[in-house]
Every structure is written in structure tokens, then in C-alpha cells.
Amino acid sequence: MKTEIQNFQRARSLEAKELRETAILNAARTLAATQGVRNITLGAIADRVGMHKSALLRYFETREEIFLILSGECWLEWSAAVRKELTEFKKPSALQVSLTLAKTLTARPMFCELLAQAPLNLERNVSLAAVRSFKLTALNEVKLIASELKRLKLSSRQAIDIIATATSMAGALWQMATPSPEVLALYRNEPQLAHAVVDVERQLTQILAALIAGFLIEKRRQRLPVRP
Amino acid sequence: MKTEIQNFQRARSLEAKELRETAILNAARTLAATQGVRNITLGAIADRVGMHKSALLRYFETREEIFLILSGECWLEWSAAVRKELTEFKKPSALQVSLTLAKTLTARPMFCELLAQAPLNLERNVSLAAVRSFKLTALNEVKLIASELKRLKLSSRQAIDIIATATSMAGALWQMATPSPEVLALYRNEPQLAHAVVDVERQLTQILAALIAGFLIEKRRQRLPVRP
């Protein structure tokens, strides 16, 4: 009887722990969506869940761990969305693939922000286990998207380079496109700084379309018989 | 006479100020080169120059201002080096240009680190004047490199997209290639994580070569007469 009660209590406490963790992640997601990842402190997340910061630290080690978990979730969600769109094309063209990658990424501002933040900040202030779990998730999604891209007759290596460029450039261009309001006003008002204003979707599509076209001629050249 | 003395004193103090500023920038550069930009605090820079942190703040507003100035210097130095190498080719090929861009960037680890840090952190914690001065420097160097790239028969827009990809990807890939030693060991020891190990120069060259090849066919297609 004692064991059964213990099991019940353990289950109850595990369930309570999971509920708490979900509440914390939800709070971080909501705050980041409205105020941007960079501006969200651990204290703000704790406030929103209605718990003390020291209590929150029993569930997650650092602010970075919370956002690294959200990055993993974003990878899963984006990957599913982009693969769904890609499968809908009977025989996708380079331009269709570029547009799909650029559109689905820029439609996810929080993911773009996390893509730039992950290697710089998030992967550095967490446990090895947290980095490992995030990396396994991201690499697995890269593999899944890459096999979808191979329908364009690209090699695995080329498909992976395309995904690396799409996600890294989305992260970098997004950061450039969203400076502080004062800096953005400066860019807009000073003709010499006009080039500092970035249109992420347009520039990302252009770059990806050329990259894919370039990889396709590379493949075609490799298939040509070697001249004597 | 009084004015002459005042002028002399003003010149002396201006000179002293400049000497101090140079000493601070040199200290930051040396520390960043050995320990990485991310690890250098304002306190560490002050210690190295042998002044108190509060005294250092009379010369620079923030740690970010110091590193944004160093970013501007890095742009000037890299731009001169890459343009010199490019002019040495009589008729540069897409592969030569890609290799030159990738090699000159990866040979400058501090610049790669600053390229990723600038839009995320450095441009955000400084005055408008500091952002303006940095942006004008960087955009001007982009323009100079772009006119060198146009020898490949690329449009201005394409040349700018190539430089944006080269510098943003150098920043992003460099961050991925240099995680903490523990994380790097994890990547190396776990077969599932093998793809997380990044060879910046090789991957950057591959991507840039395909991008340039892709832009070149785009240009060629635009030059073809429109079919009736």
C-alpha cells in the first residue's frame, strides 16, 4: 500500500512539474513574441508566471536554457510547415523553393531572432545536455528538409548548404532589419544610409534562388562525361 | 599671449585624449584577439590600460562602442586586403573570387566574431552618432568591394548580395564553428552530431561559388533577346 501511495505522489509531483514547465515556456514565448527575445529577462518570465525567480530556477537553469528549448520547438514547427509547402509542388522550381524558404522564415520573427541568438548566446550559457538535445533536434529537421530539397536533384551536401544559408541569413538579415526605432529612423532619413534598410524576404529570396541555380549547374557539370 | 597658451593647453589635452583613446582601443583589440570579443568586459579593458573603469567611461560610452569602433577598423582593413587580392587577378573567375572572400574572412577571426556581434549587440548599446559612423564606414567599404566584384559582370545589386552573404555567413558559421571546448568535444565524439562540426572556409567557399555562378546565369538570361 505504501508503495502505491508513493507512486501516486511521485506521479502527482511529476505532473505538477510538467505543468509548471509548460507554463514557464508559454510565458517566455508570449513575452518574446511581443517584446523580442533580447528584451526578456528571467525576472520578467517569473513575474508573468507569478512565481519567484529563485523558484523558476528549480525548473530551468538559465534564461538561455528556456530560449534554447523554444528554438528547438521553432525548428520543429518551421520544418513541418516548410516541408508541407514543398510537398505540394509536383516538381518544384528553384524559385518556388527559394520563395517558400524565405516566406516561411520571415513569417516567423521569433524563430529568425532565435536563429541568430542560438550560436552566439543560447548555446553558451546552458548545460551540455541542453545543447545536445537542441542540436539533435535541429540537425534532424535539417535532414528532413534536405531530403525534401533533393527532389530538385541536389546532392545532400548542397541541400544542407542551402538550409544553412537560409536559416543563417534569415537570422542575420532579421537582426539588421530590426534595429532600434531611432536607428531605423536614421537609416530612413539619411540618403547615404539607404542601403542599411533591409527587406529580408526579398533579399533572402534573391540569394537563395541564385544559390540553388548555382548548385544545379554544379551538379549538371558533374554529370557530364569527362572529356578525353 | 593668453590665447596662445590656451590654444597650446587645448592642443595638449586633445593630444592626451587621443593617446588615451588609442591605448584603450589597443587594449580591447589585444584582449579580444586572445580571449574572444564575447569574454572581454569594460573592467578587463580598463585593467589592461591601467585606469579605473569610471575614468575609461569618460572616453567611451560603453563596451559596445569600443567594439563597434574596432568593427569599423576591421571593415577598412579587410576591404583593403580583399580588394588588393581581387585586383591581382587579370580576369577573376567565380571560384577565385569565392576563395578570396572566404580565405580573407576566415583569416580574420576577430572580424568574423564582430560581424555576428555587430547587429545583435554592438549597434544596440551605443549612441546614434556611433551607429551612424560605423554604418557609413561599412557601407562605403561594401560599395568599394562591390565595384571590384563588378569585373565579374555582375550587377551592383548582385555584388552587394554577395558581400552581404559572405560577411553574414562568415559571422554565423564562425559562431557555430567555435562553441565552448566541452561542446566541441561533444560534437566530435557523438556520430549523430558530426554535422554540427563546421569547416568555415570550405563551406563558405562552396556557398559563395554557387551563389556567384547562379547570379551569372541570371545576368546572362537577362541579356538574351526576348523571344517573340
Side-chain angles (χ1 to χ4, degrees):
Chain A
M1 272 308 281
K2 215 177 162 191
T3 336
E4 231 170 77
I5 290 171
Q6 280 177 337
N7 280 345
F8 175 72
Q9 284 175 335
R10 198 173 299 137
R12 272 288 301 262
S13 86
L14 259 177
E15 202 182 307
K17 188 170 177 273
E18 269 174 31
L19 278 174
R20 279 296 210 178
E21 286 178 355
T22 309
I24 294 166
L25 291 173
N26 286 344
R29 199 184 295 107
T30 312
L31 288 170
T34 48
Q35 295 163 46
V37 174
R38 70 173 57 253
N39 302 310
I40 310 305
T41 61
L42 210 53
I45 302 171
D47 276 355
R48 195 172 169 103
V49 198
M51 70 202 292
H52 197 267
K53 206 173 119 176
S54 59
L56 191 149
L57 289 172
R58 269 183 271 142
Y59 299 92
F60 296 100
E61 300 158 35
T62 52
R63 167 191 177 282
E64 283 76 14
E65 193 193 351
I66 295 176
F67 285 113
L68 197 60
I69 293 171
L70 293 185
S71 302
E73 284 182 9
C74 283
W75 265 101
L76 290 167
E77 192 273 330
W78 172 64
S79 165
V82 81
R83 285 182 290 126
K84 185 170 176 293
E85 290 209 22
L86 289 175
T87 46
E88 277 165 16
F89 298 118
K90 257 199 173 161
K91 216 184 135 193
S93 71
L95 188 63
Q96 280 171 329
V97 170
S98 314
L99 262 170
T100 306
L101 289 168
K103 263 184 196 291
T104 52
L105 282 164
T106 46
R108 290 167 172 77
M110 193 172 85
F111 187 35
C112 290
E113 210 184 338
L114 290 169
L115 281 168
Q117 298 262 357
L120 245 87
N121 304 321
L122 308 181
E123 292 174 22
R124 306 211 182 226
N125 203 4
V126 297
S127 67
L128 268 188
V131 178
R132 184 176 176 278
S133 153
F134 167 69
K135 274 284 163 177
L136 285 175
T137 303
L139 288 175
N140 190 51
E141 297 311 312
V142 168
K143 216 160 70 180
L144 293 173
I145 304 169
S147 42
E148 219 32 76
L149 291 186
K150 281 198 270 175
R151 288 169 60 209
L152 275 174
K153 310 230 182 285
L154 295 162
S155 71
S156 287
R157 197 268 292 160
Q158 291 176 328
I160 289 172
D161 276 352
I162 290 164
I163 302 163
T165 307
T167 50
S168 297
M169 290 303 292
L173 294 172
W174 187 264
Q175 291 293 335
M176 292 176 204
T178 54
S180 70
E182 299 81 36
V183 172
L184 197 60
L186 177 78
Y187 292 172
R188 294 221 163 110
N189 295 332
E190 200 159 337
Q192 280 182 285
L193 289 171
H195 273 301
V197 182
V198 173
D199 177 342
V200 184
E201 190 179 319
R202 193 187 52 76
Q203 195 170 6
L204 191 54
T205 307
Q206 276 165 202
I207 290 170
L208 293 176
L211 180 66
I212 297 174
F215 277 144
L216 288 174
I217 7 173
E218 224 173 67
K219 273 296 269 186
R220 228 170 289 144
R221 273 193 204 136
Q222 282 163 7
R223 278 200 303 270
L224 289 177
V226 183
R227 285 180 208 179
Chain B
M1 271 307 282
K2 213 178 161 190
T3 336
E4 232 171 75
I5 290 173
Q6 279 177 340
N7 280 345
F8 175 73
Q9 283 175 335
R10 197 174 298 136
R12 273 287 302 261
S13 85
L14 258 177
E15 203 184 306
K17 188 172 177 272
E18 269 174 30
L19 278 173
R20 279 296 210 180
E21 287 177 356
T22 310
I24 294 166
L25 291 173
N26 286 343
R29 199 184 295 107
T30 311
L31 288 170
T34 48
Q35 296 164 43
V37 175
R38 70 173 56 255
N39 302 309
I40 311 305
T41 61
L42 211 52
I45 301 171
D47 276 355
R48 193 169 170 104
V49 198
M51 68 203 291
H52 197 269
K53 206 173 119 176
S54 59
L56 192 148
L57 290 172
R58 268 183 272 142
Y59 299 92
F60 297 101
E61 299 159 35
T62 52
R63 169 192 175 279
E64 284 74 15
E65 193 194 351
I66 294 176
F67 285 113
L68 197 60
I69 293 171
L70 293 184
S71 303
E73 285 182 9
C74 284
W75 265 100
L76 290 168
E77 192 274 329
W78 172 65
S79 164
V82 80
R83 284 182 291 126
K84 184 171 176 293
E85 291 210 20
L86 289 175
T87 46
E88 277 165 16
F89 298 118
K90 256 200 175 164
K91 218 185 135 193
S93 70
L95 188 62
Q96 280 171 330
V97 170
S98 314
L99 262 170
T100 306
L101 289 169
K103 264 185 196 289
T104 52
L105 283 165
T106 47
R108 289 167 173 77
M110 193 172 84
F111 187 35
C112 289
E113 210 184 337
L114 290 168
L115 281 167
Q117 298 262 356
L120 244 87
N121 303 321
L122 306 182
E123 291 174 22
R124 306 209 181 227
N125 203 4
V126 297
S127 68
L128 268 188
V131 178
R132 183 176 176 278
S133 155
F134 167 69
K135 275 283 162 180
L136 285 175
T137 303
L139 288 175
N140 191 50
E141 298 310 312
V142 168
K143 218 160 68 180
L144 292 174
I145 305 170
S147 42
E148 220 30 78
L149 290 185
K150 280 197 270 175
R151 288 169 59 209
L152 275 174
K153 311 231 182 283
L154 294 160
S155 71
S156 289
R157 197 268 291 158
Q158 292 176 326
I160 288 171
D161 276 351
I162 290 164
I163 301 163
T165 307
T167 50
S168 297
M169 290 303 291
L173 293 173
W174 187 264
Q175 292 293 335
M176 291 177 204
T178 54
S180 70
E182 301 79 39
V183 171
L184 197 60
L186 176 78
Y187 291 172
R188 293 222 162 109
N189 296 330
E190 201 159 336
Q192 280 182 287
L193 290 171
H195 272 303
V197 181
V198 173
D199 177 341
V200 183
E201 190 180 320
R202 192 187 53 75
Q203 196 171 5
L204 190 54
T205 307
Q206 275 164 203
I207 289 169
L208 293 175
L211 180 65
I212 296 175
F215 277 144
L216 288 174
I217 8 173
E218 223 173 67
K219 272 297 270 186
R220 226 170 291 145
R221 272 194 204 134
Q222 282 164 6
R223 278 200 304 269
L224 289 178
V226 182
R227 286 178 207 181

